[in-house]
Amino acid sequence: MDRTERLARNIMDDIGDHHIVVLCVLKGGYTFCVDLVEYIKVLSRNSSRSIPMRVDFIRLKSYCNDHSTDDMQIIGGGDLSILTGKAIVDTGKTMKVLLNHVEKFKPKMVKVAGLLVKRVTNGGGYKPDYVGFEIPNRYVVGYALDYNEYFRDLNHICLINENAKIKYQI
């Protein structure tokens, strides 16, 4: 929670007086997004400036078991014309496809916040603007992150062991 509050402070410093559209990437980003938005609201209430903010949702699906697939599905986000001319703070993990999609709506600014960033050798060179923690390249669950829709309900983040991967694979 301390790190999420720090990210909210950094976002407020960078955004200035721009209107913000928070685009939450479901399902794995919803808990972090809710916490981040709450900190931004609290900081805004306790400062001399009020930052108008909207929240919208989009869903990306790219995993089967613990492997990322090449089949990226963008689900939801029906009318993203609300992004035109707005500053966007996004939370999520599969950003290149989403950012290409979002840029079609000509936002004024796009910033990406990610609670976790994995240390990978061939990550494609993409790194969020705001990073909570850098973690080893291991599959984690909890805090809305899942393994085939299981474990989202955990209040903490943890590694999934091989027995659980076998038990819950599809």
Side-chain angles (χ1 to χ4, degrees), residues 83-125:
L83 306 178
T84 304
K86 300 291 192 307
I88 300 169
V89 177
D90 179 73
T91 61
K93 62 181 179 181
T94 313
M95 288 299 110
K96 283 190 174 186
V97 171
L98 179 58
L99 290 175
N100 287 336
H101 182 71
V102 165
E103 288 295 335
K104 294 175 187 173
F105 297 93
K106 301 185 182 346
K108 185 173 190 174
M109 173 190 329
V110 177
K111 299 286 186 176
V112 177
L115 180 62
L116 306 175
V117 173
K118 290 184 180 180
R119 285 182 230 121
V120 293
T121 54
N122 57 350

Side-chain angles (χ1 to χ4, degrees), residues 5-166:
E5 181 181 10
R6 170 54 51 202
L7 294 176
R9 287 181 189 282
N10 293 344
I11 289 166
M12 286 197 55
D13 290 344
D14 291 349
I15 296 299
D17 293 329
H18 296 289
H19 293 217
I20 300 174
V21 175
V22 177
L23 185 59
C24 177
V25 178
L26 298 174
K27 297 179 188 176
Y30 78 84
T31 305
F32 172 57
C33 183
V34 167
D35 291 340
L36 185 64
V37 165
E38 190 59 34
Y39 278 118
I40 291 172
K41 287 179 359 187
V42 167
L43 292 170
S44 182
R45 279 193 303 263
N46 294 327
S47 74
S48 59
R49 62 191 168 109
S50 176
I51 297 177
M53 180 170 39
R54 292 179 61 167
V55 179
D56 206 340
F57 303 89
I58 195 165
R59 183 169 171 220
L60 301 179
K61 184 166 175 56
S62 67
Y63 271 82
C64 180
N65 297 318
D66 62 347
H67 300 306
S68 183
T69 66
D70 291 333
D71 180 28
M72 171 65 65
Q73 299 172 19
I74 298 177
I75 305 164
D79 181 16
L80 293 181
S81 63
I82 62 165
L83 306 178
T84 304
K86 300 291 192 307
I88 300 169
V89 177
D90 179 73
T91 61
K93 62 181 179 181
T94 313
M95 288 299 110
K96 283 190 174 186
V97 171
L98 179 58
L99 290 175
N100 287 336
H101 182 71
V102 165
E103 288 295 335
K104 294 175 187 173
F105 297 93
K106 301 185 182 346
K108 185 173 190 174
M109 173 190 329
V110 177
K111 299 286 186 176
V112 177
L115 180 62
L116 306 175
V117 173
K118 290 184 180 180
R119 285 182 230 121
V120 293
T121 54
N122 57 350
Y126 180 78
K127 187 171 181 182
D129 301 284
Y130 310 100
V131 176
F133 299 95
E134 191 173 293
I135 64 171
N137 189 13
R138 303 276 307 275
Y139 203 89
V140 295
V141 295
Y143 196 65
L145 302 171
D146 75 300
Y147 180 78
N148 294 330
E149 299 299 324
Y150 292 95
F151 308 110
R152 288 189 196 282
D153 59 323
L154 298 176
N155 291 328
H156 59 281
I157 297 170
C158 59
L159 295 173
I160 184 170
N161 67 34
E162 294 305 316
N163 290 337
K165 285 181 186 179
I166 293 167

